[in-house]
């Protein structure tokens, strides 16, 4: 099997908002030996001739070179964030029809009305990150669509018993909670440390360097703040499981915030204390955090369980395996070996014997 990955992530990209795409592509590269293709946005898209260009051309992307296809099966995997990226499929020209299978996976929220039917007609299957998005797409377009949750490359996270950062918050967060924690924990009278973003842009010097540092900081954090995303416009009011939950679990942090409520999300985080709901009243926030942070035994058990559950069900390798199984494609040897390694992880003694707080007993882990 030959995999050709047509990706929206440009090689020169330095925006940390693409972290989920970096993680997916890193896993794909190390397990499936794909050939990456990087279409670029045509410069005419950025000037006054854009509308005219759209009328006379199928795509506003260009591709420097075309690959040489190998022996069948040849699989095209499109990896993108925006719905517009799917039109980049036309950069393949006459080579497009020579692929045995053409799959697209959009890793973010998007407006299904913005999908171009002309591009969809050349795609065999579309994967999306929200179960509600499946219904929304199929209500407008006649394309086979499936819900495939986001994953995380758990191999890139280290596990630390000693965690010197009490609370970590980054990127989009709840401003009121942030201000409360900053005012209380990052003052001279408090021995707590709240580590958070201090910039409002996403450009970094080196994305891979940033991701490595970010992962190490999470692995040294007791708590990671995570809030559901239904108020973010691109998610169209939907509330899927997003990447920061997966990063936090992989790093062994306790997740605090507001859990996602989208269809199918309960099954993705159904172990006890997979997330702690922050109280609704601001007056209760600091007492809540102080009580949680003072419970070292609970945090240690939550850390071990989050790491275990994430490795057993949320690694990107399971998502890739699901794609291949859905289309009866062979599982690459390196991917199969990595999954065997993940499933061979022994669980800490007593880590899954009883719930850590009030709630139902955890069910046996399953690969999603």
């Amino acid at each position: 099997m030959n995999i050709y990955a047509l990706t929206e992530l440009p090689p020169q990209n330095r925006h940390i908002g693409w972290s989920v795409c970096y993680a997916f592509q890193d896993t794909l590269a190390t397990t499936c030996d794909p050939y990456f293709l990087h279409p670029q946005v045509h410069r005419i898209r950025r000037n006054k001739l854009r509308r005219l260009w759209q009328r006379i051309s199928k795509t506003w992307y260009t591709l420097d070179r075309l690959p040489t296809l190998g022996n069948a099966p040849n699989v095209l995997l499109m990896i993108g964030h925006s719905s517009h990226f799917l039109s980049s499929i036309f950069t393949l020209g006459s080579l497009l029809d020579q692929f045995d299978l053409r799959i697209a996976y959009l890793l973010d929220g998007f407006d299904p009305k913005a999908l171009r039917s002309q591009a969809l007609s050349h795609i065999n299957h579309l994967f999306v990150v929200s179960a509600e998005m499946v219904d929304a797409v199929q209500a407008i377009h006649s394309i086979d669509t499936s819900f495939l949750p986001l994953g995380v490359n758990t191999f890139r996270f280290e596990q630390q018993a000693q965690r010197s950062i009490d609370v970590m918050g980054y990127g989009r967060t709840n401003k009121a909670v942030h201000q409360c924690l900053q005012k209380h924990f990052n003052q001279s009278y408090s021995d707590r440390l709240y580590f958070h973003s201090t910039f409002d842009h996403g450009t970094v010097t080196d994305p891979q360097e940033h991701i490595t540092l970010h992962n190490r900081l999470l692995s040294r954090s007791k708590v990671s703040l995570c809030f559901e995303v239904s108020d973010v416009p691109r998610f169209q009011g939907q509330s899927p499981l997003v990447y920061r939950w997966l990063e936090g679990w992989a790093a062994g942090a306790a997740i605090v915030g507001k859990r996602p409520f989208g269809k199918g999300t309960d099954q993705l985080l159904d172990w006890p204390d997979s997330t702690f709901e922050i109280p609704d009243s601001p007056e209760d926030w600091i007492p809540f955090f102080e009580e949680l942070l003072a419970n070292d035994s609970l945090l240690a058990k939550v850390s071990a369980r989050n790491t275990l559950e994430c490795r057993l069900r949320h690694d990107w390798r399971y998502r890739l395996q699901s794609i291949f199984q859905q289309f009866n494609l062979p599982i690459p040897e390196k991917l199969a070996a990595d999954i065997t390694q993940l499933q061979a992880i022994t669980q800490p003694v007593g880590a899954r014997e009883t719930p850590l707080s009030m709630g139902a007993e955890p069910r046996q882990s399953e690969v999603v």
Side-chain angles (χ1 to χ4, degrees), residues 200-237:
D200 58 3
H201 60 83
T203 302
V204 296
T205 304
D206 184 312
Q208 291 293 354
E209 181 182 89
H210 168 83
I211 291 170
T212 298
L213 176 60
H214 175 77
N215 292 352
R216 288 176 65 84
L217 289 169
L218 267 177
S219 295
R220 286 161 173 76
S221 300
K222 298 174 184 176
V223 167
S224 177
L225 297 179
C226 299
F227 295 88
E228 66 87 18
V229 295
S230 62
D231 61 336
V232 178
R234 68 180 183 274
F235 287 104
Q236 304 280 301

Side-chain angles (χ1 to χ4, degrees), residues 174-182 194 225 227 278 285 289:
N174 183 296
K175 292 183 179 179
V177 173
H178 162 72
Q179 291 170 356
C180 177
L181 295 179
Q182 163 65 19
Y194 168 45
L225 297 179
F227 295 88
I278 194 170
W285 290 346
F289 277 100

Side-chain angles (χ1 to χ4, degrees), residues 126-345:
L126 173 64
F127 289 102
V128 295
V129 300
S130 163
E132 288 90 347
M133 187 59 71
V134 174
D135 300 330
V137 169
Q138 293 185 328
I140 304 173
H141 306 280
S142 55
I143 181 174
D144 290 335
T145 310
S146 296
F147 167 42
L148 186 65
L150 293 176
V152 63
N153 184 359
T154 61
F155 286 14
R156 290 202 64 171
F157 289 83
E158 60 190 65
Q159 303 308 313
Q160 292 287 331
Q162 300 298 321
R163 294 176 179 263
S164 54
I165 299 173
D166 293 290
V167 181
M168 181 170 173
Y170 56 95
R172 182 196 56 82
T173 188
N174 183 296
K175 292 183 179 179
V177 173
H178 162 72
Q179 291 170 356
C180 177
L181 295 179
Q182 163 65 19
K183 181 179 179 180
H184 184 80
F185 286 155
N186 285 356
Q187 306 301 322
S188 59
Y189 56 77
S190 174
D191 60 355
R192 300 292 184 193
L193 173 60
Y194 168 45
F195 180 86
H196 58 87
S197 303
T198 57
F199 52 88
D200 58 3
H201 60 83
T203 302
V204 296
T205 304
D206 184 312
Q208 291 293 354
E209 181 182 89
H210 168 83
I211 291 170
T212 298
L213 176 60
H214 175 77
N215 292 352
R216 288 176 65 84
L217 289 169
L218 267 177
S219 295
R220 286 161 173 76
S221 300
K222 298 174 184 176
V223 167
S224 177
L225 297 179
C226 299
F227 295 88
E228 66 87 18
V229 295
S230 62
D231 61 336
V232 178
R234 68 180 183 274
F235 287 104
Q236 304 280 301
Q238 299 162 18
S239 183
L241 179 69
V242 293
Y243 188 54
R244 63 183 61 206
W245 261 268
L246 301 163
E247 288 180 306
W249 289 331
I255 305 300
V256 172
K258 294 295 182 181
R259 64 189 289 139
F261 55 80
K263 184 168 65 174
T265 55
D266 281 345
Q267 291 80 10
L268 299 174
L269 40 75
D270 63 353
W271 62 93
D273 298 327
S274 60
T275 180
F276 291 88
E277 291 288 289
I278 194 170
D280 292 329
S281 174
E283 295 180 354
D284 297 328
W285 290 346
I286 294 304
F288 166 81
F289 277 100
E290 289 286 14
E291 181 179 1
L292 177 61
L293 292 169
N295 196 334
D296 293 335
S297 176
L298 172 62
L299 289 174
K301 291 178 180 179
V302 168
S303 177
R305 179 173 281 160
N306 283 353
T307 299
L308 178 65
E309 296 286 357
C310 194
R311 287 177 174 175
L312 290 178
R313 63 168 86 184
H314 290 311
D315 195 285
W316 272 125
R317 291 159 179 83
Y318 299 128
R319 309 302 190 244
L320 288 168
Q321 181 186 51
S322 295
I323 293 174
F324 296 140
Q325 290 176 336
Q326 182 164 334
F327 298 101
N328 297 313
L329 296 171
I331 306 297
E333 291 184 6
K334 183 61 169 63
L335 176 61
D338 281 2
I339 290 175
T340 298
Q341 181 179 343
L342 283 168
Q343 295 177 337
I345 296 171

Side-chain angles (χ1 to χ4, degrees), residues 39-55:
Q40 300 295 305
V41 177
H42 197 290
R43 60 183 176 83
I44 203 170
R45 184 186 177 192
R46 305 183 188 280
N47 65 30
K48 295 180 181 180
L49 296 176
R50 173 180 173 181
R51 291 183 180 178
L52 175 62
W53 178 262
Q54 287 182 238
R55 288 199 296 268

Side-chain angles (χ1 to χ4, degrees), residues 7-32:
T7 173
E8 189 174 6
L9 177 63
Q12 70 275 16
N13 179 74
R14 294 190 294 126
H15 196 286
I16 58 175
W18 293 78
S19 293
V20 63
C21 196
Y22 275 111
F24 180 54
Q25 291 188 185
D26 284 349
T27 310
L28 181 68
T30 59
T31 59
C32 301

Side-chain angles (χ1 to χ4, degrees), residues 66 89-97:
L66 293 176
I89 197 171
F90 293 114
T91 61
L92 294 169
S94 60
L95 196 64
L96 177 57
D97 293 331

